[in-house]
Amino acid sequence: MSLSSKEYFIRETGKSIKRNGIMSFASVSTVAVSLLVLGLFLLMYLNTDNLAKYLEGQVEMTVYLEDTATGEEVAEMREKLKKMEGVVQVTEVTKAMAMERFKNRLGDQATLLKALGKDNPFPERIKALVSQVEHWPKVETAKFGQEVVEHLFALTKVMRIGGAVLIVFLCFATLFIIINTIRLTVFARRREVVIMKYVGATDWFIRWPFLLEGMTLGLGGAIIACTVVDLIYVSLSGRLHTTFAFFPVLPSWPTLLYADIFILACGTLIGALGSYLSRQLPFPEEVPAGLGGAAL
Amino acid sequence: MLEMTDVSKTYPGGNVALRNINVRIEQGEFVFIVGPSGAGKSTFIKLLFREVLPTSGSIRLNDVDILNLTAKEVPYLRRQLGIIFQDYRLLPDRTVYDNVAFAMQVIEAPYRKIKRRVMNVLDLVGLRRRAYSKPNELSGGEQQRIAIARAIVNSPSLVIADEPTGNLDPETSMEIMEIFQEINNTGTTIIMATHDKEIVDSMGKRVIAIEHGEIVRDELNGVYGYESEQ
């Protein structure tokens, strides 16, 4: 491709975007809104995933002992638990302490043991621990809060599947918008395209300005989306930190960098793909009747 | 230069546009294609730049069978041709210069060559002084000159014109024909479909008459042979 061709493509892309100003503005806006939703959802998904991982790491096993257990039996059991793989801390809560701490909430159940996974204990591991401990003498029940963990897993699963579906759906919606915009551009420039064909332009020469236009519109929308996503995230994460200090919000850096790269790549790729696909549709071969004439 | 052998064209729906056309046109000839409306002149012209494909027969241009070209090769065939239409087909938002330069830009000619060549061609058609006007600021005859300039700017070996004077008054038409004659004098072949009796009769060129899709007459120094439709 010669230098004058590159200049020509860039000039034509700029002219075309300017010429179809309202349509270009509409498509950049729609792409921006789609990518904004996509970006916000991505960050929400990343944070939920992070929260799930964080809570998974907080899993504790509670072993309830029978009332008849003696002090010696409890001490022995504590030593046994400490030696078990995956247990990092064992906390004994006596009946009196429990009464003190939880007042009437725990009734006559006496001991609370904390079993914390070292880095990120797998639920199976905790389950295995529970199933072992359950069979010890004097143990009435052993629980690891599986309801909470299971609910969390279900939630993250829904987030993962739902997120993937929504992202795919939004990508398709954005793609559809770009295809339509480029089709309109092609329609607006059909005379030019027909003349290009008559004077011997290759298909790729004709295609380049449209491809660049799609990419520019996609990138433009993506830049707007990135800016808004960044502003929203920084503002919201700040508020979350001050309101819910325990909530593990992902830090802006480098989370936003990854999100921005994803949004920009998505916008540009979708723009290019939209242009490419729009050219696969039937194309005007002839100047339609009635569009001829001197000034046209 | 151009050789059509047993060329027939039937459009979908059964409309027979051309039947067993056999014609040979040499480099440097000036040929008028005449005949009543709907006789097949436009189809004949469109076959030459592969706008339509014949149902049967062969078409050779400069010893290349143009029917065997792939879609990717068609643009390179068209670079050897200059095509001119009755409705000029100019780009209204570009200047005269840009309309002509456009034909060189799309074949990726170097910038300096474009500038020099476009100015030379605008000189030839008498529009150098209007180079930076927009087409709609010019008369019909001037607009057709832009179209001619665009058609010849890449120095084609064959210029194909479909009713180039159809929208012009007789005086302007004669001026346009003088330009075509000048182009022909440089050795460029010209094939022109026309309804203009005065032009054909005054030029004294080869005339091929088509009626009902068949060649009914092929004469050197021919005449229009029909009542004027202008």
Side-chain angles (χ1 to χ4, degrees):
Chain A
M1 194 190 298
S2 69
L3 186 66
S4 68
S5 296
K6 280 182 200 151
E7 283 173 10
Y8 170 80
F9 293 144
I10 294 167
R11 210 173 48 233
E12 287 310 302
T13 305
K15 267 190 199 171
S16 177
I17 290 174
K18 222 167 117 185
R19 205 176 322 168
N20 305 320
I22 293 174
M23 202 53 226
S24 303
F25 175 76
S27 52
V28 167
S29 313
T30 333
V31 171
V33 170
S34 296
L35 290 177
L36 173 68
V37 176
L38 189 104
L40 288 178
F41 192 85
L42 180 76
L43 287 170
M44 203 168 80
Y45 168 73
L46 288 176
N47 272 291
T48 315
D49 200 47
N50 184 51
L51 176 68
K53 278 181 187 156
Y54 171 76
L55 291 178
E56 278 167 25
Q58 303 292 313
V59 170
E60 61 179 28
M61 176 171 75
T62 314
V63 177
Y64 298 99
L65 301 184
E66 290 174 3
D67 282 350
T68 54
T70 62
E72 279 173 15
E73 283 170 331
V74 172
E76 194 188 324
M77 207 173 288
R78 188 172 62 194
E79 288 312 306
K80 272 174 85 180
L81 279 168
K82 269 186 181 171
K83 284 177 191 163
M84 289 180 82
E85 203 190 337
V87 174
V88 289
Q89 196 187 346
V90 178
T91 310
E92 188 187 331
V93 180
T94 65
K95 230 171 167 178
M97 284 162 74
M99 284 292 281
E100 183 66 27
R101 257 191 222 173
F102 306 111
K103 296 181 180 168
N104 297 324
R105 283 174 59 198
L106 290 177
D108 59 354
Q109 295 184 9
T111 309
L112 184 70
L113 288 162
K114 270 195 174 176
L116 205 68
K118 205 167 192 176
D119 294 314
N120 182 10
F122 298 108
E124 289 75 18
R125 208 165 164 193
I126 294 290
K127 275 179 188 163
L129 277 175
V130 168
S131 60
Q132 280 179 51
V133 174
E134 259 176 352
H135 296 104
W136 289 358
K138 301 289 178 188
V139 170
E140 190 183 86
T141 51
K143 290 181 177 175
F144 68 102
Q146 55 261 60
E147 292 86 2
V148 177
V149 172
E150 274 163 16
H151 278 134
L152 256 169
F153 289 155
L155 182 70
T156 45
K157 199 177 168 188
V158 166
M159 285 295 288
R160 275 175 193 147
I161 295 171
V165 169
L166 190 70
I167 285 173
V168 168
F169 175 77
L170 284 172
C171 283
F172 269 107
T174 315
L175 194 64
F176 180 75
I177 292 157
I178 295 267
I179 288 177
N180 272 313
T181 310
I182 300 297
R183 287 296 293 168
L184 282 171
T185 309
V186 171
F187 187 74
R189 294 178 62 187
R190 64 198 180 285
R191 173 174 299 276
E192 207 170 313
V193 170
V194 171
I195 294 167
M196 281 169 120
K197 289 190 164 197
Y198 287 148
V199 295
T202 58
D203 268 359
W204 266 107
F205 189 91
I206 297 172
R207 205 172 276 170
W208 263 112
F210 296 114
L211 208 61
L212 278 182
E213 186 175 342
M215 285 165 80
T216 310
L217 295 178
L219 187 66
I223 290 171
I224 296 172
C226 279
T227 313
V228 180
V229 164
D230 290 3
L231 288 174
I232 291 176
Y233 191 78
V234 169
S235 146
L236 269 185
S237 62
R239 279 187 198 181
L240 271 174
H241 262 306
T242 46
T243 320
F244 306 105
F246 63 88
F247 193 88
V249 182
L250 286 168
S252 300
W253 178 267
T255 313
L256 285 180
L257 175 74
Y258 298 145
D260 288 354
I261 290 173
F262 176 77
I263 294 170
L264 291 173
C266 238
T268 315
L269 276 178
I270 287 175
L273 189 66
S275 305
Y276 182 78
L277 290 177
S278 75
R279 287 288 282 108
Q280 303 304 303
L281 298 171
F283 204 68
E285 287 292 330
E286 278 259 32
V287 175
L291 285 171
L296 282 166
Chain B
M1 203 266 156
L2 173 76
E3 193 171 9
M4 289 175 126
T5 312
D6 294 327
V7 172
S8 296
K9 173 67 185 176
T10 306
Y11 284 107
N15 177 28
V16 180
L18 291 174
R19 242 185 276 260
N20 294 320
I21 300 290
N22 285 288
V23 70
R24 190 182 163 83
I25 294 169
E26 301 298 336
Q27 181 67 45
E29 275 197 87
F30 195 132
V31 182
F32 286 115
I33 311 293
V34 300
S37 295
K41 300 191 299 294
S42 283
T43 302
F44 183 95
I45 292 288
K46 283 176 181 172
L47 284 171
L48 301 179
F49 56 94
R50 247 192 75 150
E51 179 78 355
V52 295
L53 285 166
T55 316
S56 61
S58 83
I59 304 172
R60 295 182 75 81
L61 182 73
N62 294 331
D63 292 325
V64 174
D65 185 346
I66 68 168
L67 307 182
N68 280 341
L69 298 178
T70 62
K72 279 188 177 174
E73 290 169 327
V74 172
Y76 299 95
L77 162 79
R78 291 183 178 169
R79 289 177 190 190
Q80 301 172 41
L81 311 172
I83 309 167
I84 298 159
F85 299 94
Q86 182 176 356
D87 59 8
Y88 324 133
R89 299 199 183 173
L90 303 174
L91 298 168
D93 58 339
R94 296 179 196 214
T95 63
V96 170
Y97 176 90
D98 286 338
N99 264 281
V100 179
F102 182 68
M104 293 188 82
Q105 280 165 341
V106 302
I107 64 162
E108 302 182 58
Y111 176 76
R112 278 186 188 174
K113 192 179 166 192
I114 294 177
K115 196 169 184 189
R116 199 173 53 236
R117 175 69 183 154
V118 171
M119 282 308 184
N120 285 345
V121 173
L122 286 179
D123 256 343
L124 179 73
V125 298
L127 282 178
R128 185 188 257 264
R129 280 185 305 148
R130 309 302 302 266
Y132 299 103
S133 303
K134 294 277 176 69
N136 57 10
E137 295 164 11
L138 306 180
S139 68
E142 286 171 321
Q143 291 188 47
Q144 191 57 292
R145 288 177 197 215
I146 306 172
I148 294 170
R150 185 182 62 198
I152 60 168
V153 75
N154 288 325
S155 309
S157 57
L158 170 64
V159 169
I160 301 160
D162 192 3
E163 308 273 1
T165 57
N167 286 345
L168 306 175
D169 61 64
E171 198 181 328
T172 313
S173 297
M174 287 313 293
E175 286 170 17
I176 293 293
M177 290 316 294
E178 280 171 24
I179 296 170
F180 275 112
Q181 184 59 65
E182 274 183 56
I183 296 165
N184 182 235
N185 289 345
T186 63
T188 306
T189 311
I190 292 176
I191 300 176
M192 184 185 296
T194 185
H195 273 127
D196 198 321
K197 182 178 180 344
E198 269 183 55
I199 284 175
V200 179
D201 290 350
S202 65
M203 298 277 289
K205 302 291 183 185
R206 181 177 170 187
V207 176
I208 296 173
I210 300 176
E211 286 177 30
H212 304 297
E214 289 179 77
I215 293 180
V216 293
R217 185 159 49 95
D218 185 351
E219 315 171 313
L220 293 174
N221 301 315
V223 291
Y224 186 68
Y226 302 95
E227 285 303 308
S228 176
E229 294 181 32
Q230 294 291 303

